[in-house]
Structure formats: C-alpha cells, structure tokens
Amino acid sequence: KKKKKKKTPHREFEMRKSETKIDIIDSIEDTKGNNGEKGQLTVTNLRLIWCCSKNLKINLSIGYNCIISITIHTANSRIRGPTQALYVLTKFNSSRFEFIFTNLVKGSPRHFTTVQAVHRAYETSKLYRDLKLRGAIIRDKELLLLPQEDIVTKTSGVWNLSSDQGNLGTFYISNVRVVWYANLAENFNVSIPYLQIKSVRIRDSKFGPAFVIETTHQSGAYVLGFRVDPPERLQEIYKEVASLHKVYSTNPIFGVEYKTEEPAVPLSEITEPQHQDDVEIVDEEATDAFAAYYADGGMKNADRRPVFEPSLGLSVEKLRDGVTMESLWNCISFQ
C-alpha cells in the first residue's frame, strides 16, 4: 500500500511572539538525518531551525529546553569527509535524539560558537521562564533583579497560605514575575514568571478572601494562595497582576540576551522569498522521520566487541567514538 508524506505546516517555523533571529548560517549539513544535503541553520533565542536548501519540507526545529548537552566530535560528512561537527543531544518525553550539524565552509567555527553561547544564555536565564521554589533570589531583604526586570510594586505583610498557620512575608510584582518570600527566612520563597501563570483570581479560604495563582501543567500545576490586608489592597494586587500578565502574554520577555559580533544581514535584503512547489511525494513504505535521529541509532544491528573498563573493573561493550563512561553516567542522571 502506498503511503503519502505529509507536508510540515509552515506556521510551525514562524517566529512566535518575542522570538528573535540571532544568527543565520548557510552551508550547514544535517549529517545524521540528511547526510550530503546542504541547508541553512537559524539560531533564535528559543530554538535551532534547520531547513534543507533543496526541499523546505525537510526541516528540524529543536527547542533549547529539550537539549541535554552540546559537544564537538568528529563526524563523517558525505561532502567534507571526516571533520569536526556539532553534536546536540536532546530528550523529548521518554526518547533521546541526537543531531549532528556540520559546517561545510572549511575552517569556520561559527556554528560552534554561536549555538553554544546562545544555549548558555538560555540556560542562565531560566528565572524568566521557570517557576522557582527556595531559590537564591533574595539578599538583605531585597529582591535580586534580573537584567531586564523592573519592580512595579512591593507589598509587606502578605501571608502565604501554603501551611495551616500561614507565613508572613513580602510580595513583589515586577514586569516579568511575581515573587514572595518569608520575612523570617529569606530562602523560603517562590518566584513565578508570568509565562508559567495559568490564571489569577480571588476566592474564599479558611483565612478569608485570598489572591490565588494557578500555574501551568509544565511548572507543576501549583495553586498558591496569598492573603492581603486590607481587602482593598487585595483587589489592587489582583488587578495589577492580571493586567501585567495580559501585557506579558502580548509581548513576553524571555531573558535570552546574545549579540553576534557581526549581526546577520536580514534574509529579505539578500534573497528572494523561497517557494516550494506543492508536490505530492509517494513512498512505497511508511517511514519514521525521527528514526534517523535516535541517540546511538535506537535499536542496534550488532553488538560492539567487549573491552576492559578500569573504572568499573569489568568488560563492557566498546563505546562509540566521542562517548566516555563519565558522559554515560551523566546521561542517566537526567532520566
């Protein structure tokens, strides 16, 4: 029975709100999945996008939040032969995928430096995007501000209703998050970015009317309650957070700051818009688009010969090139 390949919706590769293109690198090969095919690698503040130059339907989108590690090893390119390449190990749900990108321009380290630096900027700016409990965010009774953060209001005498007695503390509202910390213990705190807020409302509790924040499923689906006196101030805080959350949803601040030494020239200035013919490709057999990217090839066809591993005192299957015993233990820790 003949199977038809589905066209990838182009809207999935459009920039979302506040997503920006940091660098556009031509002549990049997807060595693992499309060896021998030249493409273009777009580095944004949220993900990597690779598109095949000959067929736009062949493409990849890799969010930085899925990346476990980025390393440089030798790969075999059909175009360049054995050469240094960028290895990106990722995890999505319960599966691990490996992507290998080779720069076909000899001697160019551009995709190494840019991708690693932008990913590092993403990893070090998680407070903009992730809910944080008991973090090092307060010093000397003051909130440590993020680079693009501005405090809107600071309210003392706010009760966190997470325990039976409640805890008295201070409540901050900024342009990127809300923060509460206990007056008697600065490390007892919570930082909630607007990105992770599902809803805000006022409802009754055993302590009386409370301001309630419900977070998204991705951040743990927490329901956090706060009591504020007098009731008029409670209403003010609710309206303030609801308004700022709405503004943030329209123009989010992700906190990933990186500038290339030589800013990429906009594509609109140097190229004509690419057009893809609406051609239907028919295959005799169904294919799995992810199969080529499973880390270590997914199911192996044959075992590698055993070698003695001094750190274990045992014989183990010979590791593939670029993999160490230490890196395998590190991978296990992410599960």
Side-chain angles (χ1 to χ4, degrees):
K1 185 178 179 180
K2 293 185 178 181
K3 302 289 183 181
K4 298 178 181 179
K5 285 184 179 180
K6 295 182 179 179
K7 182 178 179 180
T8 303
H10 188 266
R11 63 180 179 274
E12 293 183 6
F13 293 92
E14 294 176 352
M15 299 294 103
R16 63 159 292 175
K17 293 176 182 176
S18 294
E19 182 178 14
T20 58
K21 293 180 181 179
I22 292 174
D23 202 0
I24 301 169
I25 309 171
D26 292 315
S27 298
I28 299 295
E29 177 190 73
D30 170 23
T31 305
K32 187 159 187 178
N34 295 281
N35 203 333
E37 293 291 342
K38 184 185 296 186
Q40 183 182 78
L41 184 68
T42 301
V43 183
T44 82
N45 56 333
L46 299 178
R47 57 179 169 160
L48 301 175
I49 302 171
W50 181 87
C51 287
C52 178
S53 299
K54 292 182 180 179
N55 187 349
L56 297 182
K57 295 179 183 178
I58 302 175
N59 46 54
L60 298 168
S61 175
I62 308 170
Y64 297 136
N65 203 43
C66 297
I67 294 178
I68 296 174
S69 66
I70 298 178
T71 53
I72 298 173
H73 300 298
T74 300
N76 288 311
S77 165
R78 288 181 182 174
I79 298 177
R80 286 200 57 191
T83 186
Q84 292 286 288
L86 190 73
Y87 281 65
V88 181
L89 180 63
T90 67
K91 183 176 181 180
F92 183 71
N93 294 330
S94 59
S95 300
R96 292 176 183 273
F97 301 96
E98 184 182 56
F99 303 89
I100 304 173
F101 297 109
T102 301
N103 196 327
L104 301 179
V105 178
K106 189 175 182 180
S108 174
R110 186 170 159 193
H111 73 312
F112 296 150
T113 55
T114 302
V115 172
Q116 289 179 313
V118 174
H119 180 250
R120 191 179 304 114
Y122 182 90
E123 287 291 296
T124 55
S125 59
K126 287 190 173 182
L127 282 174
Y128 284 93
R129 304 177 302 275
D130 294 351
L131 184 147
K132 182 71 173 178
L133 297 170
R134 298 179 179 271
I137 59 175
I138 306 294
R139 181 184 299 162
D140 298 328
K141 306 294 183 181
E142 292 294 334
L143 176 64
L144 298 176
L145 293 179
L146 302 172
Q148 300 178 55
E149 184 175 25
D150 296 309
I151 294 176
V152 178
T153 57
K154 174 184 176 182
T155 306
S156 301
V158 177
W159 292 83
N160 184 324
L161 308 180
S162 59
S163 64
D164 291 337
Q165 295 81 23
N167 290 283
L168 186 62
T170 302
F171 194 81
Y172 286 92
I173 301 174
S174 82
N175 59 325
V176 296
R177 57 179 173 166
V178 296
V179 174
W180 177 91
Y181 77 90
N183 292 340
L184 298 179
E186 292 182 355
N187 66 333
F188 184 49
N189 56 56
V190 60
S191 171
I192 315 167
Y194 294 127
L195 187 66
Q196 299 299 344
I197 292 180
K198 181 179 179 182
S199 66
V200 295
R201 61 187 185 276
I202 293 177
R203 75 180 192 190
D204 291 330
S205 71
K206 65 180 181 179
F207 298 96
F211 173 55
V212 176
I213 299 176
E214 183 180 356
T215 70
T216 61
H217 174 74
Q218 291 88 344
S219 64
Y222 290 99
V223 178
L224 305 169
F226 303 92
R227 198 190 83 188
V228 185
D229 293 320
E232 294 78 16
R233 183 58 184 143
L234 177 68
Q235 289 289 339
E236 290 174 2
I237 286 181
Y238 162 71
K239 291 178 181 179
E240 211 163 47
V241 174
S243 176
L244 287 168
H245 181 237
K246 185 176 181 180
V247 170
Y248 182 91
S249 299
T250 303
N251 187 28
I253 301 173
F254 296 118
V256 183
E257 294 184 286
Y258 178 82
K259 292 183 180 179
T260 56
E261 294 181 2
E262 298 179 3
V265 179
L267 284 179
S268 58
E269 297 182 10
I270 59 175
T271 62
E272 292 293 326
Q274 293 178 307
H275 299 284
Q276 182 66 45
D277 294 334
D278 190 13
V279 179
E280 184 181 88
I281 303 174
V282 179
D283 284 346
E284 294 297 327
E285 298 180 357
T287 59
D288 179 4
F290 294 107
Y293 300 101
Y294 282 114
D296 206 19
M299 298 298 293
K300 298 183 300 180
N301 294 323
D303 291 335
R304 294 182 286 270
R305 64 182 181 81
V307 295
F308 181 72
E309 174 55 46
S311 65
L312 299 177
L314 299 169
S315 291
V316 299
E317 185 177 16
K318 187 179 184 298
L319 301 179
R320 63 187 177 85
D321 292 340
V323 176
T324 65
M325 188 60 65
E326 182 181 0
S327 67
L328 291 179
W329 286 117
N330 289 335
C331 285
I332 293 174
S333 66
F334 280 97
Q335 293 181 337

